[in-house]
Amino acid sequence: MKSKLFIILSVLLLIVIGGYFGANYYVQRQAKVNIDNFIKENHLENEVKYADVRSSLFSKSIRVDNITYYINDPVKKQKIGRITAKYAVVKGDLKNSTSVKLYGISFINLNNKLPKKLSNKVIFTVQNAYYKVNKQGNIETYESSADNIKINTDMISSQNELKKKKYEEFSKVVLMNNPIDVYSHYTYDKSKQELKIDNSSLNFKNNFNFSYTALIDGIDLPSVNKHMKAMKKSNNMMEMLALANELMNMKIKQIRFVFVNNGIVERLLNLAASTKNESKDIIINKMLKNSENLYNGELYSSLKNLLLSKSKKFTF
C-alpha cells in the first residue's frame, strides 16, 4: 500500500514539476515575442539589439539583457552613436501601461565628423533611466528620468591645447565632473488635444537647477508620433512636412521657467571679474544696467536678487 502511494505521489510530483517547467518555458518564449513585437511596431528593428530576454511564471516583469540602441543620421543613413545598457526591467502590457527601467547606460560616439581619437569613445554614462506611460481613456500620463549622468571629461581634455585651455577656463565656472539628473512628467488629454507639462527639470549638481512647466493646446500627439515613426522608417519628405504642419498648430497657453543657482553664478561673476580686472560689484552693476531695458519690473527684480545673492531663484 505504501509503495503504491509513493508511486502515485512521485508521478504527481513529476507532473507538477513538468507542468511548471513547461509553463515557465511558455512564459519565457511569450516574453521574447512581446519584446520583439514592441520593437517591430515602433520600427526599431535596425536600431535596437539585445542579447537575451528573461521572465518566469511568477514574475510580473521582463528582463532584457545587453541592449544596444543605434542612433542614425536620418539624412545620410549612417550610425552616429550607440547607446548600450547592461539590462532593462520591463513591466506592464507594452501598450497602455508600461514602465521600463534601464541600468548601466553608456553613450558612445560613432560620428566620423569628430576627430578620430574620439571614435568609439564614451561621451557620457547614466547610472539608471526610467520611463513610464499609462493610458486610460482620453488621458495619457508620461514620466521619465535619468539619474547620475556623468560626462566623460577626459574626452574633452584630449583635444588640442587651445581647446584644452578654453575647457580649463570653462570648468572653473561649470563643475563638469558633477552628476546630472533629469526628470519629466506630463499629461496629454486626447479629447482636448492639450499637453500639460507638470515638471521638466535638469539638475546639474552644485551648478544649477533648471525647470519649466507648460500648457500647450492644439497638439495631436498620436498624429505627431505617427509621422515620427513613419519618418524613422522611410525618411519621407512628405512625412517631415506633415509633422511640421502638426507642430505649427500648437499654441503655448502657459509657460514658466525657473533657474536655481547652486554656485554657478558666483563662479561666473568671479571669472568675469578676474578676466576684466574689475571688482565683482562693478560687473554686477554693468549687467543690471544692460538688463534694465530688456526685462520688465518683476523679471528685473528677480535677476537683481539673483546677482546680489538675495535669492537663489530666477523665475521668468
Side-chain angles (χ1 to χ4, degrees):
M1 184 71 180
K2 287 184 179 180
S3 61
K4 286 183 179 180
L5 182 61
F6 176 77
I7 292 171
I8 292 170
L9 290 174
S10 298
V11 170
L12 288 173
L13 183 61
L14 287 172
I15 292 172
V16 170
I17 292 172
Y20 169 77
F21 282 107
N24 204 53
Y25 171 77
Y26 172 79
V27 169
Q28 182 98 348
R29 188 177 63 176
Q30 191 59 43
K32 186 178 186 309
V33 169
N34 292 341
I35 293 295
D36 289 342
N37 286 342
F38 176 80
I39 291 171
K40 188 175 181 180
E41 287 168 8
N42 288 276
H43 308 294
L44 296 169
E45 299 98 317
N46 297 324
E47 286 92 353
V48 175
K49 309 293 178 187
Y50 63 85
D52 191 23
V53 173
R54 286 188 277 170
S55 187
S56 67
L57 187 60
F58 301 111
S59 173
K60 292 183 179 180
S61 63
I62 301 170
R63 172 168 166 151
V64 186
D65 290 321
N66 296 325
I67 304 162
T68 300
Y69 174 78
Y70 289 99
I71 302 169
N72 296 314
D73 185 323
V75 178
K76 295 187 176 181
K77 298 286 186 178
Q78 63 184 23
K79 296 179 175 66
I80 58 174
R82 182 174 77 244
I83 300 174
T84 63
K86 291 180 180 178
Y87 68 95
V89 176
V90 183
K91 295 181 179 180
D93 59 13
L94 294 176
K95 288 185 178 180
N96 295 316
S97 179
T98 306
S99 70
V100 182
K101 191 163 187 177
L102 298 109
Y103 298 85
I105 305 161
S106 297
F107 181 94
I108 300 154
N109 170 55
L110 298 177
N111 192 344
N112 56 21
K113 288 184 178 179
L114 295 176
K116 285 186 178 180
K117 66 174 76 174
L118 300 181
S119 180
N120 276 313
K121 296 286 185 181
V122 175
I123 309 293
F124 63 84
T125 60
V126 184
Q127 184 174 324
N128 56 68
Y130 177 74
Y131 174 77
K132 183 180 180 181
V133 58
N134 186 36
K135 299 177 182 179
Q136 292 186 351
N138 288 319
I139 306 299
E140 300 177 0
T141 305
Y142 298 85
E143 184 178 17
S144 62
S145 66
D147 300 327
N148 208 30
I149 303 169
K150 287 191 175 180
I151 300 167
N152 182 7
T153 55
D154 291 337
M155 183 201 70
I156 302 171
S157 59
S158 67
Q159 298 290 305
N160 58 50
E161 288 302 317
L162 180 61
K163 288 185 178 180
K164 281 173 70 174
K165 187 175 180 181
K166 287 182 178 179
Y167 171 70
E168 285 171 4
E169 292 177 355
F170 177 75
S171 62
K172 291 177 182 177
V173 177
V174 183
L175 305 180
M176 295 295 292
N177 287 317
N178 289 6
I180 302 169
D181 294 336
V182 296
Y183 176 80
S184 178
H185 185 280
Y186 60 93
T187 305
Y188 178 67
D189 188 330
K190 285 193 289 187
S191 62
K192 297 179 180 178
Q193 291 194 339
E194 185 178 81
L195 180 68
K196 183 181 180 183
I197 302 172
D198 303 302
N199 183 20
S200 184
S201 64
L202 184 150
N203 182 21
F204 200 164
K205 300 289 178 64
N206 296 320
N207 285 297
F208 63 87
N209 182 296
F210 178 79
S211 62
Y212 73 93
T213 57
L215 185 63
I216 302 170
D217 198 12
I219 178 169
D220 188 347
L221 199 58
S223 183
V224 169
N225 290 333
K226 178 185 172 183
H227 292 310
M228 289 181 71
K229 287 179 182 179
M231 280 171 56
K232 188 176 289 185
K233 187 178 181 181
S234 64
N235 196 29
N236 190 307
M237 181 59 71
M238 295 304 295
E239 292 291 349
M240 292 184 186
L241 293 173
L243 176 61
N245 184 60
E246 290 285 356
L247 296 177
M248 286 175 67
N249 291 328
M250 293 190 315
K251 294 178 182 177
I252 300 176
K253 296 172 72 174
Q254 297 174 20
I255 191 162
R256 183 174 181 264
F257 300 95
V258 178
F259 172 86
V260 178
N261 171 38
N262 290 321
I264 194 170
V265 172
E266 291 81 2
R267 294 193 294 271
L268 180 61
L269 291 172
N270 288 333
L271 179 64
S274 63
T275 303
K276 295 181 179 294
N277 199 25
E278 295 177 339
S279 71
K280 193 161 74 170
D281 289 340
I282 291 174
I283 297 293
I284 291 172
N285 288 331
K286 284 182 177 180
M287 291 179 70
L288 290 174
K289 189 174 181 181
N290 292 332
S291 303
E292 278 182 310
N293 297 324
L294 294 175
Y295 302 114
N296 61 32
E298 188 177 340
L299 280 175
Y300 178 79
S301 177
S302 183
L303 177 62
K304 185 177 179 180
N305 289 336
L306 178 73
L307 293 174
L308 295 175
S309 300
K310 292 182 179 180
S311 173
K312 294 176 67 175
K313 189 183 292 185
F314 177 48
T315 305
F316 55 104

